[in-house]
Amino acid sequence: MLKIYIFTIFPQYFDCFKSVGMVAKAINHGKVSIETINIRDFAKDKHRTVDDVVYGGGPGMLLKPEPIFEAFDYLKSKGANPYTLITEPWGREFDQNLARELSKKEEILIICGRYEGVDERVKALVDEEVSIGDFILSGGEPAALIIVDSIVRLLPEVLSDERSIEVDSFSDGLVGYSNYTRPVEYRGMRVPEVLLSGNHKLIQLYRRWDQLQKTVKKRPDLLKKANLSDIDKKMLNCIKIDKTFQQFLEEEKLG
Ligand code: SAH
């Protein structure tokens, strides 16, 4: 079971997150535990202060080092040995590869910054700084929710159909293929005929074509890193000169 610890000054942020949907199910089935630790409980002074002014001047407050180090010592004293992340806007950009790496760990700690951030000395505890994108949040908690959600759904036996993971966007470096459900025709828009054909080989080809076409249109940056097979490359060549799937099939004598 993956153990996740979260250092925060707002543990209530995670109450709803832990009680609904896939995450709640994973907790109930013993696939993951998510323990929020209020660093305020580790502040020593009588007002339980977690923040202080910035040395050298400047706006705002910083999370003090002591409560975070004390909370960390407490975790260690319980025998925990977590891989430690801190949320930082300039950190390694969180993506599916990092989610996959983290889903293989046994214990993870996420330290959520607040205010202007944390005292730099806290970094002595940290294995990796993680960002969820180039924008500024008021705290690390929303970032932690995102990180934990995407890790938990990768854990074995969490999703009811784990094949979803293989067909999700980014799992093979491309965006996911388009999906349709009933009815076959809605407001004049029809489901592509090939998906109704029952021909699984053809459907597989069509979905690959759709993935490549969507990636070219919507996320061409992904193509540089994607692992492309020979048939992928042939499809891409056709897509780039606006050939249709049908024309591709005829050219490759696959129809
Ligand atoms: N003064 C900081 C911003 C602080 S925002 C700066 O100039 O960069 C407060 C906290 O929110 C940060 O310490 C961090 O923990 C979290 N945070 C803000 N934006 C984030 C992002 N894009 N990804 C991850 N965490 C973020």
Side-chain angles (χ1 to χ4, degrees), residues 87-90 112-117 130-133 135-140 143:
T87 52
E88 284 290 14
W90 57 76
C112 299
R114 273 273 154 186
Y115 312 117
E116 286 304 315
V130 181
S131 164
I132 58 161
F135 43 82
I136 302 298
L137 301 164
S138 53

Side-chain angles (χ1 to χ4, degrees), residues 7-10 39 63 68 86-88 110-118 137-142:
F7 285 2
T8 172
I9 56 169
F10 294 123
I39 52 173
L63 284 179
I68 297 176
I86 189 163
T87 52
E88 284 290 14
I110 305 176
I111 303 173
C112 299
R114 273 273 154 186
Y115 312 117
E116 286 304 315
V118 299
L137 301 164
S138 53
E141 286 79 6

Side-chain angles (χ1 to χ4, degrees), residues 48-66:
R48 301 208 296 161
T49 315
V50 289
D51 59 323
D52 210 333
V53 295
V54 181
Y55 273 126
M61 304 294 272
L62 276 188
L63 284 179
K64 288 155 64 72
E66 303 96 309

Side-chain angles (χ1 to χ4, degrees), residues 199 201-202 205 245-246 248-255:
N199 180 339
K201 198 162 164 267
L202 195 62
L205 278 174
F245 179 59
Q246 207 50 46
F248 162 77
L249 291 180
E250 281 159 20
E251 257 174 46
E252 294 298 320
K253 306 197 172 31
L254 289 164

